[in-house]
Amino acid sequence: HYLLSTPLEWAFIANAMSLQWLTDPVSFPAFGPVQLEAHVQAVDITARNGAPSGLTAQASLDQDGDSVAHAAGKLTFVPPATYRAIRHHAHMPSSRGSRTDFQHLTNVQQGPATLTAQVGWDWRDRFYFDHDADHVPGMVIAAAACEAQHLLSDGCEARALQMEFVRYAELDVPIDVAARNTDGLRSPVFVAFSQCSEPIGEATFAP
């Protein structure tokens, strides 16, 4: 909003995001906050009718002056009228009261190299629901993807993550998770999300 003077009432749609650790992620504390400084740079800005319509950005995450990770993301900017038109068929207009799960994954069924589950969330968690929403936030889906990777890798930390989203996730329909690794604990892990057999997004983790 501040970078491009985009009105605060406009919505941002997350199309893709990525993160790559430059240091060993397990060296960070298992509990408590990690203080990082983000240096964000816009690398591509698109416009429509004289107003910004999209942004591709990259960031360096630094700790004590050293770069520890690189991140990138692609966003679409949507004015209020366009957002209402896109979401006028939303199943639930509010996330309030939607779910109160304690885990990011529910109904987990796991084999040696595959996992199926459903996404869980707690609408009262201000980290993921810092404002009311008519859809499941992308960060909830990202957290579920990370949990699936952890389970399939026996707790081994991934060094890189790439995620893409293709549609909104509705609040009142189960979000199905299908994950697999390719060749043992240190292999890449792929996680796909869908609702009613329609794809929502996917994540790829590199060891």
Side-chain angles (χ1 to χ4, degrees):
H1 288 289
Y2 287 107
L3 179 65
L4 301 176
S5 299
T6 307
L8 293 178
E9 64 269 19
W10 282 37
F12 288 172
I13 299 175
N15 305 119
M17 60 183 179
S18 64
L19 174 71
Q20 180 174 4
W21 290 105
L22 304 179
T23 60
D24 189 349
V26 299
S27 65
F28 288 85
F31 301 99
V34 174
Q35 292 188 348
L36 300 176
E37 187 175 89
H39 299 269
V40 183
Q41 178 184 14
V43 295
D44 185 46
I45 301 171
T46 58
R48 182 179 295 126
N49 299 324
S53 60
L55 170 68
T56 300
Q58 62 185 19
S60 172
L61 302 179
D62 299 349
Q63 185 180 50
D64 299 327
D66 295 324
S67 183
V68 297
H70 286 159
K74 185 176 182 181
L75 301 171
T76 299
F77 302 167
V78 179
T82 302
Y83 185 85
R84 288 193 297 269
I86 294 172
R87 296 295 294 155
H88 75 284
H89 286 312
H91 295 191
M92 291 180 64
S94 171
S95 55
R96 297 180 66 85
S98 55
R99 296 184 71 101
T100 55
D101 300 307
F102 292 103
Q103 296 86 22
H104 298 305
L105 293 178
T106 65
N107 302 322
V108 177
Q109 300 290 325
Q110 184 175 350
T114 61
L115 177 148
T116 60
Q118 293 178 337
V119 177
W121 67 85
D122 187 343
W123 71 271
R124 300 165 299 184
D125 190 331
R126 295 299 95 188
F127 181 81
Y128 298 103
F129 293 88
D130 60 343
H131 63 277
D132 197 13
D134 63 1
H135 61 278
V136 180
M139 290 303 296
V140 169
I141 298 173
C146 291
E147 181 66 19
Q149 183 273 333
H150 245 239
L151 290 173
L152 277 181
S153 301
D154 196 27
C156 295
E157 298 285 350
R159 295 192 64 88
L161 160 67
Q162 290 186 327
M163 286 200 74
E164 293 186 357
F165 300 98
V166 296
R167 70 177 68 240
Y168 285 99
E170 303 296 342
L171 290 159
D172 65 337
V173 180
I175 303 175
D176 295 317
V177 183
R180 61 183 175 88
N181 59 20
T182 56
D183 185 24
L185 296 180
R186 288 291 182 180
S187 66
V189 173
F190 302 93
V191 188
F193 298 89
S194 63
Q195 278 185 323
C196 301
S197 300
E198 293 291 334
I200 293 172
E202 62 182 18
T204 303
F205 294 85

